[in-house]
Amino acid sequence: MTITIAKLQPILAIAAGVLILLRPQLLHYIVAAYLILVGLIGLGVFRALS
């Protein structure tokens, strides 16, 4: 199975949600990392690498 950009964002969202449920004190870091990754995906940074 190939993970495409369209499938990557929901996977990241689920992982972030689970981490926030398990460790609520990490909320700021998880949200910041998620927003940075979504921004990089939106700019096409990962497409340029492959």
Side-chain angles (χ1 to χ4, degrees), residues 23-45:
R23 303 283 298 200
Q25 50 276 49
L26 295 177
L27 177 63
H28 294 104
Y29 299 111
I30 293 170
V31 170
Y34 177 76
L35 290 173
I36 291 169
L37 283 172
V38 169
L40 291 173
I41 290 169
L43 289 173
V45 171

